[in-house]
Amino acid sequence: MHQTVKNLLNIKAEIKTKLDQLKYNYLPNIVAVSKTFSLGHILPLIEHGHVHFGENKVQEALEKWSEIKKKNKNIKLHMVGKLQTNKVKSALQIFDFIHSLDNLKLAKKISDEQKKHQVKPKIFIQINIGNEVQKSGINKTDIYDFYHQCKNLDLDILGTMCLPPYNSNSKKFFFETEQINNQLKFKELSMGMSHDYLSAIEHSASYLRIGSKIFGERG
């Protein structure tokens, strides 16, 4: 068994233990964030039956996944990095989910391109949950207005996404994002990475974006 598959199974076992402790009756989706990793690391997971994968660069995703997705129709590819408006047309050719909708200009561009190409990606609104100047995302106080603008643009918004401040107590920010998600009556929530996915589960994260814990550290 390939190491990436072993790692994935260990993570699933940890998640199951955590869910049992919490007495939660749901199963989060694991997005295996495969950015910078070669197909040699990814194919064993596909053969194992894993379907959710994440990339953060459009060009890399197109080069790596175009052929694989033709052969494996059930694979769902997630854009987990910042999406530039000039890359939207290309992104819609390959990505099924976008986790990083962070401004109105981008929302309008996705709306235009999805009409042209008859595709409709599933989208998470990125909240700047820590009010960090250097980070993308919609301000917490603007999220409600922004969501209504997205609905008017006919975007398929599933939920919100957050990236807590680095070296912070993630739980506090997960709790806050969960509250916002619930107020907006979203069913899905994208949060939790390799170092904090078990905390994210405590706050109903339904998509966990896990990279290094599956693939190892990047070079």
Side-chain angles (χ1 to χ4, degrees):
M1 189 186 286
H2 194 274
Q3 189 60 50
T4 52
V5 177
K6 284 184 192 168
N7 293 344
L8 178 66
L9 291 173
N10 287 339
I11 290 164
K12 285 185 171 181
E14 274 189 324
I15 288 170
K16 185 180 184 308
T17 302
K18 184 73 171 175
L19 290 169
D20 289 346
Q21 285 168 357
L22 295 165
K23 296 186 166 53
Y24 282 4
N25 186 23
Y26 87 106
L27 201 58
N29 298 287
I30 297 170
V31 179
V33 180
S34 50
K35 61 181 184 183
T36 76
F37 282 96
S38 67
L39 292 178
H41 288 85
I42 296 165
L43 289 172
L45 289 169
I46 295 171
E47 284 156 18
H48 176 70
H50 193 69
V51 296
H52 292 284
F53 292 88
E55 294 285 338
N56 73 336
K57 292 199 168 112
V58 176
Q59 198 53 44
E60 183 184 346
L62 282 166
E63 287 164 13
K64 205 193 280 186
W65 288 95
S66 293
E67 288 306 310
I68 296 176
K69 283 193 82 189
K70 280 179 200 162
K71 292 179 198 152
N72 302 271
K73 300 291 186 194
N74 59 334
I75 281 179
K76 301 296 178 200
L77 199 59
H78 298 248
M79 175 59 172
V80 296
K82 182 166 177 62
L83 180 57
Q84 308 288 352
T85 48
N86 64 346
K87 295 278 174 39
V88 168
K89 183 179 174 182
S90 303
L92 264 53
Q93 291 169 25
I94 194 80
F95 287 106
D96 305 284
F97 290 74
I98 295 167
H99 288 244
S100 49
L101 175 58
D102 61 2
N103 65 77
L104 190 58
K105 185 182 170 194
L106 179 60
K108 286 176 176 170
K109 183 67 175 170
I110 294 171
S111 178
D112 289 345
E113 292 296 335
Q114 71 179 16
K115 281 189 202 108
K116 279 187 214 164
H117 301 286
Q118 300 293 299
V119 292
K120 203 164 186 186
K122 297 180 183 303
I123 299 171
F124 291 92
I125 297 170
Q126 182 173 345
I127 303 176
N128 186 346
I129 200 67
N131 286 332
E132 295 174 274
V133 181
Q134 77 280 17
K135 249 190 211 160
S136 305
I138 304 300
N139 189 292
K140 292 176 280 194
T141 54
D142 300 332
I143 186 74
Y144 306 99
D145 287 342
F146 183 75
Y147 171 52
H148 289 300
Q149 287 173 307
C150 290
K151 279 198 352 187
N152 291 336
L153 291 167
D154 195 33
L155 298 182
D156 185 5
I157 307 290
L158 293 189
T160 58
M161 179 275 252
C162 79
L163 288 162
Y166 191 67
N167 283 338
S168 67
N169 176 7
S170 297
K171 282 189 185 186
K172 171 187 152 196
F173 297 101
F174 290 159
F175 171 76
E176 204 174 345
T177 308
E178 181 188 28
Q179 299 297 105
I180 293 168
N181 219 54
N182 290 343
Q183 283 162 7
L184 288 164
K185 296 185 167 56
F186 287 137
K187 288 195 169 71
E188 309 295 346
L189 179 53
S190 169
M191 62 187 191
M193 295 162 73
S194 288
H195 61 288
D196 58 11
Y197 59 89
L198 292 175
S199 296
I201 290 167
E202 291 179 30
H203 297 287
S204 310
S206 57
Y207 285 84
L208 311 168
R209 309 180 306 273
I210 303 178
S212 57
K213 197 91 189 268
I214 295 173
F215 295 103
E217 294 301 325
R218 291 181 178 82

